[in-house]
Amino acid sequence: MLEIKNLQVRVEDRQILNGLDLSVNAGEVHAIMGPNGSGKSTLAHVLAGKPGYEVTSGDVLLDGKDLLALGPDERAAHGVFLAFQYPLEIPGVATMTFLRTAINAQRKQRGEAELSTPEFMKRVRDAAAKLEINQDMLRRGVNVGFSGGEKKRNEILQMALLEPRLAVLDETDSGLDIDALKIVADGVNRLRSPQRSMIVITHYQRLLDYIVPDVVHVLSRGRIVRTGGKELALELEARGYAAYQDEAA
Amino acid sequence: MKRREVMNAEVTPIKTAAETALADAFLRRQAALPGGREIAGLREAAFRRFERSGLPHRRVEEWKYTDLRALMREGKPLAQAPDASAKAAAKSAGAILAGLKAHRIIIVDGCFAPELSATAISGVTVTPFATAVANGEDEFLNSENSDTVLALNTALATDGAVIRVKSGTVVDRPIQLVFVHSAGKATAVFARSHVVVEPGATVTLVESHEGPDKLDYQINTALDLEVGRGAKVDHIKVTCEGDAALHLATLNARVSEAAELRDFTFTLGGAVVRNQLFVTCKGKRAQLSLAGASLLRGRQHADTTLMLDHAVGGSSSRELFKSVLDDESHGVFQGKIVVRPDAQKTDARMMSRALLLSPNAEADNKPELEIFADDVQCGHGATAGALDESLKFYLMARGIPEREAEALLIQSFVGEAIETISHEGVRADLMFAAVRWLRARSA
Ligand SMILES: Nc1ncnc2c1ncn2[C@@H]1O[C@H](COP(=O)(O)OP(=O)(O)OP(=O)(O)O)[C@@H](O)[C@H]1O
Ligand SMILES: [Mg+2]
């Protein structure tokens, strides 16, 4: 389903991704771990189409479609979703308006009819309740005055409503307390489906106790340097990345 | 942004074509202007003030960014009283506030049109300016304000509305002054209004100004607003003049003890617009909110200049002015807050922000505080910048196309200012007008 081949990316004249290969099949959850600055967020941003990254070579295909040729909004409509490591605050745009605009913009791009108001309200209420997001938060500006954990839950709410084909979660566990981690992980697990692929970027094995991955990768210096099963995460937790940093050098 | 240079450093008053035309207009029209001998004297004195200084230009500090001598190329003939067809056309004016249920008072080409206006408002008296001055009411023409544009208005004002809201009255609906310029006449209009809100009264006063596109008419309008003790006033001025019009507006507001004034200046239309607000807080425990938003495109030039005088202490004011500047437009904000020596415990915060949507747009922001008291809380800030690219990416990553993402961000930017208006209907209409402006941009 997702096919990344020899991806090389530069940011401001610095090579960040050095020939990254990765395939994720439909229905699979892949975890990506790796030291700070190894390029995990860069990969996530390039998948979502953030400007400022120069792809110097390589291909990214989602269901055979060349993602790199699409704008970020078109990628989203094709099913790409990025849960941000640092969700932004948008004062003056109510969360409800934001959600509705996003859902309908995607539907419009796919040639589908807009959601009716009652249908939209029902979906938001159901999804928000499961993530313990209250109505008052939905009325506020997007992420304005939200705690770190609330921002992350709001990302998962967006994911639940936008029903992506490919979800990339960039350190969604950072800044969450134990209870919030469970809420978020449950939210993610509910969205696992044979049609949906996920890439979960994390530093901590603990998240992977809740969201059990099919495959674990180690990213170091802009490349996947090791791939294994869920037990690889345990090994990394015990031994750290020292071995891989040498290997990539 | 190119501006015409004034070549001569030595400024001799009454020199340009526009100044000469204004002087001629006064001398010719003088005798026919409404008001008795005393008012004629006030007009004469005001005219002399103009004669001494000429039109304000860039060396006059308050007009630094709006060089009227360069921007006003010629003086237009004074408007004549509107004919029946002009009045008929004016009935449909005020469309920008179409959603508003208001007592509408219509002023066509600077003439109060009683047959089109709702003057029977419970607890309120409404008189045409011409009638009021003919009856010898003159206190509002006797201003200490020495601004030249206001002086020209005093000299040449033909008509407008004089409104008195009686003590304790809560006016049921907004009072809307609809100023219309008729099609086909590139004339000059001098309108003057006066609103007294007596102690304890509550009113929402809306002013809208509009006229045809592609016609270089000139408007000089002024409003004197007296906010009595404990009164609550919302004043919203909406400028949607035609795209070639020159619009000069002066507000003189005085706010008494424990009163509340919420003022909002909304600018959409006009080639050159100057909104000057002179606000004096003359009583303790008054609360002021002075805000505005300008949405400019093409080569529009809009200047909002605020002069707020905290003459007495213990009051608070919040100033928030936003401008969205596209194409080659030019937005100016000058805000000066003076806190007098006796005005202890004043709390004033001013913020002005410009959003530049094009590399050719220009924003000039000049906030100033002059504080003569020591126990005060005052602050100001000013920003100018483009749309935040990372916010735009966040929206686009959720599937929202670029123009729509920009529109949402711009809407939230001006929305913060529009939110300060307390009347829900006015707020909704202005928000909708901003959205329409954005749609036209996206189209
Ligand atoms: N806009 C940028 N300009 C310059 N350098 C950048 C930019 N964005 C990322 N980098 C650099 O690219 C490298 C990879 O950054 P990235 O954010 O992808 O790392 P990461 O693996 O997500 O790290 P972390 O675990 O700390 O989140 C870092 O050295 C970073 O400084
Ligand atoms: Mg990162």
Side-chain angles (χ1 to χ4, degrees):
Chain A
M1 197 184 99
L2 175 71
E3 206 57 66
I4 302 176
K5 282 181 241 155
N6 185 34
L7 186 62
Q8 306 202 8
V9 172
R10 298 174 75 87
V11 181
E12 291 171 8
D13 287 338
R14 235 186 93 200
Q15 189 84 20
I16 310 290
L17 297 183
N18 295 299
L20 184 142
D21 294 296
L22 178 67
S23 326
V24 183
N25 293 321
E28 288 180 353
V29 174
H30 288 217
I32 295 182
M33 304 182 81
N36 292 132
S38 55
K40 302 180 300 295
S41 292
T42 302
L43 172 64
H45 288 149
V46 169
L47 289 176
K50 184 170 179 171
Y53 295 87
E54 188 195 349
V55 178
T56 51
S57 89
D59 291 307
V60 178
L61 302 175
L62 180 64
D63 297 321
K65 181 108 193 157
D66 176 11
L67 280 190
L68 299 177
L70 303 178
D73 54 322
E74 298 165 315
R75 294 183 199 199
H78 271 92
V80 178
F81 179 87
L82 168 63
F84 282 54
Q85 182 172 358
Y86 304 107
L88 300 168
E89 299 188 5
I90 317 180
V93 178
T95 306
M96 277 299 206
T97 310
F98 168 68
L99 293 172
R100 190 165 187 173
T101 310
I103 291 174
N104 284 331
Q106 291 202 16
R107 293 177 72 91
K108 194 172 163 195
Q109 289 188 64
R110 292 193 294 259
E112 299 163 13
E114 291 199 349
L115 278 188
S116 69
T117 303
E119 177 60 24
F120 166 76
M121 295 300 284
K122 182 180 171 323
R123 289 192 190 186
V124 175
R125 260 200 304 274
D126 291 354
K130 286 182 188 138
L131 290 161
E132 299 185 16
I133 292 174
N134 64 39
Q135 294 298 309
D136 170 60
M137 283 165 65
L138 295 175
R139 277 189 291 268
R140 268 188 258 164
V142 177
N143 293 326
V144 175
F146 286 30
S147 72
E150 287 169 343
K151 286 180 184 170
K152 297 300 178 84
R153 276 189 272 153
N154 195 18
E155 293 290 289
I156 303 305
L157 172 68
Q158 293 165 43
M159 172 171 150
L161 292 167
L162 293 169
E163 304 177 322
R165 285 275 284 147
L166 170 69
V168 182
L169 278 60
D170 192 359
E171 294 195 29
T172 299
D173 52 338
S174 69
L176 294 183
D177 63 32
I178 314 268
D179 295 334
L181 182 69
K182 283 186 190 146
I183 295 169
V184 163
D186 288 346
V188 173
N189 285 329
R190 272 194 302 273
L191 295 169
R192 288 180 83 149
S193 101
Q195 286 81 42
R196 182 170 293 138
S197 307
M198 294 189 192
I199 295 175
V200 179
I201 295 170
T202 181
H203 284 294
Y204 302 106
Q205 144 67 22
R206 198 182 57 193
L207 176 70
L208 304 179
D209 287 340
Y210 297 105
I211 305 173
V212 181
D214 299 297
V215 182
V216 176
H217 305 276
V218 178
L219 180 65
S220 179
R221 302 192 181 179
R223 206 182 273 166
I224 303 282
V225 294
R226 175 128 185 237
T227 297
K230 58 175 186 282
E231 60 295 338
L232 177 55
L234 291 166
E235 189 189 313
L236 292 169
E237 182 91 352
R239 300 211 198 130
Y241 295 115
Y244 304 106
Q245 278 171 311
D246 293 344
E247 212 170 286
Chain B
M1 182 82 213
K2 283 149 242 109
R3 259 171 280 153
R4 274 213 345 213
E5 294 294 308
V6 177
M7 299 303 293
N8 200 343
E10 277 303 299
V11 170
T12 3
I14 310 294
K15 175 184 69 171
T16 66
E19 289 163 345
T20 311
L22 284 161
D24 287 350
F26 179 72
L27 296 172
R28 252 183 293 121
R29 219 11 136 68
Q30 193 174 16
L33 289 166
R37 184 184 296 246
E38 297 216 346
I39 284 170
L42 288 172
R43 290 184 187 275
E44 180 77 31
F47 176 72
R48 297 287 165 229
R49 256 200 317 278
F50 162 69
E51 248 189 349
R52 279 196 299 276
S53 58
L55 285 172
H57 48 84
R58 67 202 172 111
R59 284 186 194 79
V60 177
E61 190 57 24
E62 293 77 12
W63 291 82
K64 187 171 170 189
Y65 303 101
T66 301
D67 188 335
L68 202 55
R69 201 173 260 183
L71 288 165
M72 191 172 164
R73 308 255 163 91
E74 51 182 336
K76 299 293 179 186
L78 297 180
Q80 300 296 325
D83 57 21
S85 76
K87 284 188 186 174
K91 275 185 205 161
S92 57
I96 191 168
L97 292 150
L100 195 66
K101 275 200 179 316
H103 300 288
R104 283 162 46 105
I105 292 162
I106 300 189
I107 294 151
V108 189
D109 299 332
C111 284
F112 189 111
E115 65 275 41
L116 304 178
S117 300
T119 52
I121 309 169
S122 169
V124 179
T125 58
V126 180
T127 319
F129 168 96
T131 312
V133 290
N135 294 339
E137 276 189 50
D138 66 356
E139 86 268 33
F140 51 87
L141 284 179
N142 206 350
S143 171
E144 286 164 24
N145 188 335
S146 63
D147 176 81
T148 312
V149 164
L150 180 65
L152 274 172
N153 183 286
T154 302
L156 283 157
T158 47
D159 208 353
V162 176
I163 298 173
R164 186 173 284 274
V165 182
K166 295 196 188 105
S167 187
T169 304
V170 177
V171 183
D172 57 346
R173 282 191 240 155
I175 298 176
Q176 184 182 359
L177 298 175
V178 183
F179 292 86
V180 196
H181 194 88
S182 302
K185 296 173 205 153
T187 51
V189 168
F190 294 82
R192 184 67 164 256
S193 299
H194 183 53
V195 175
V196 179
V197 183
E198 292 184 353
T202 299
V203 66
T204 295
L205 179 72
V206 183
E207 262 183 83
S208 61
H209 297 261
E210 66 192 72
D213 281 338
K214 301 189 174 57
L215 189 71
D216 54 347
Y217 61 94
Q218 300 176 339
I219 303 293
N220 180 332
T221 179
L223 170 68
D224 297 85
L225 176 61
E226 184 74 41
V227 182
R229 198 167 189 279
K232 279 199 171 73
V233 177
D234 262 57
H235 171 240
I236 300 105
K237 174 174 181 282
V238 182
T239 306
C240 336
E241 300 284 12
D243 57 14
L246 170 80
H247 176 100
L248 307 170
T250 308
L251 171 73
N252 278 311
R254 287 168 304 281
V255 183
S256 309
E257 189 174 336
E260 198 180 312
L261 171 65
R262 307 183 74 81
D263 190 86
F264 194 81
T265 303
F266 190 60
T267 305
L268 275 178
V272 175
V273 176
R274 159 89 167 189
N275 279 300
Q276 39 184 9
L277 294 83
F278 299 93
V279 181
T280 304
C281 182
K282 60 176 189 175
K284 291 182 194 303
R285 289 181 295 116
Q287 285 182 27
L288 284 75
S289 160
L290 309 170
S294 301
L295 299 169
L296 309 179
R297 59 162 67 103
R299 307 202 48 173
Q300 279 181 288
H301 174 110
D303 173 331
T304 302
T305 293
L306 166 69
M307 162 64 214
L308 169 60
D309 187 348
H310 275 282
V312 169
S315 292
S316 69
S317 72
R318 291 290 175 273
E319 293 75 38
L320 178 62
F321 289 84
K322 301 249 183 155
S323 51
V324 179
L325 308 170
D326 205 353
D327 304 329
E328 295 168 66
S329 61
H330 185 187
V332 178
F333 174 75
Q334 301 183 100
K336 185 188 215 171
I337 302 183
V338 179
V339 181
R340 303 277 168 195
D342 290 340
Q344 300 292 3
K345 309 269 181 216
T346 294
D347 174 0
R349 309 253 159 106
M350 173 162 60
M351 176 55 84
S352 63
R353 287 186 196 283
L355 180 58
L356 297 153
L357 300 180
S358 140
N360 301 319
E362 183 183 330
D364 289 298
N365 247 331
K366 200 178 81 180
E368 263 181 286
L369 294 176
E370 275 185 18
I371 301 173
F372 301 101
D374 47 22
D375 184 14
V376 299
Q377 287 204 32
C378 292
H380 68 70
T383 63
L387 276 177
D388 185 323
E389 287 297 321
S390 42
L391 287 183
K392 196 163 108 183
F393 172 64
Y394 191 37
L395 294 169
M396 291 181 72
R398 296 297 177 254
I400 302 173
E402 184 166 15
R403 278 290 166 139
E404 213 177 318
E406 289 180 2
L408 261 181
L409 293 174
I410 300 166
Q411 204 178 312
S412 79
F413 176 82
V414 292
E416 191 195 355
I418 294 176
E419 287 297 311
T420 64
I421 298 171
S422 50
H423 193 280
E424 198 183 329
V426 177
R427 213 166 53 219
D429 279 351
L430 296 195
M431 208 57 228
F432 188 62
V435 169
R436 261 201 321 266
W437 186 90
L438 288 167
R439 287 215 190 106
R441 177 175 183 263
S442 310

